[in-house]
Amino acid sequence: MIIKNIPKSSADLYKSLLAEFKPNWNVEIIIEDYNLYKLGFVEEIPCSISLNVSREEIYELQEEM
């Protein structure tokens, strides 16, 4: 599963929160277009989060919450 187009600060927060709830999940932050940030077109670096988990694992997390 990939969550697209989120600011870097949110991606870092999501990754740290998921690490607390589900430490065995593989969560990666993918930086999309650093040049947009460097040129001043966006306030934060646009990112995506890649979750290498099944839909069942995501449903289990939703039920736990």
Side-chain angles (χ1 to χ4, degrees), residues 22-28 50-53:
K22 298 291 184 178
N24 59 332
W25 282 15
N26 184 14
V27 180
E28 295 180 35
S50 174
L51 299 169
N52 296 321
V53 296

Side-chain angles (χ1 to χ4, degrees), residues 22-36:
K22 298 291 184 178
N24 59 332
W25 282 15
N26 184 14
V27 180
E28 295 180 35
I29 296 176
I30 303 164
I31 294 177
E32 293 297 324
D33 195 346
Y34 184 71
N35 290 326
L36 288 176

Side-chain angles (χ1 to χ4, degrees), residues 33-46:
D33 195 346
Y34 184 71
N35 290 326
L36 288 176
Y37 174 73
K38 281 177 41 178
L39 294 170
F41 292 116
V42 293
E43 292 181 19
E44 288 193 58
I45 301 168

Side-chain angles (χ1 to χ4, degrees):
M1 169 183 216
I2 295 179
I3 303 169
K4 295 183 179 185
N5 298 321
I6 58 174
K8 176 89 166 83
S9 61
S10 295
D12 290 333
L13 178 63
Y14 296 154
K15 183 175 180 174
S16 68
L17 290 172
L18 284 170
E20 287 182 36
F21 287 116
K22 298 291 184 178
N24 59 332
W25 282 15
N26 184 14
V27 180
E28 295 180 35
I29 296 176
I30 303 164
I31 294 177
E32 293 297 324
D33 195 346
Y34 184 71
N35 290 326
L36 288 176
Y37 174 73
K38 281 177 41 178
L39 294 170
F41 292 116
V42 293
E43 292 181 19
E44 288 193 58
I45 301 168
C47 296
S48 294
I49 294 179
S50 174
L51 299 169
N52 296 321
V53 296
S54 68
R55 288 195 182 269
E56 293 169 354
E57 291 173 307
I58 291 172
Y59 294 141
E60 288 174 8
L61 175 64
Q62 288 176 336
E63 289 178 10
E64 289 175 15
M65 296 175 98

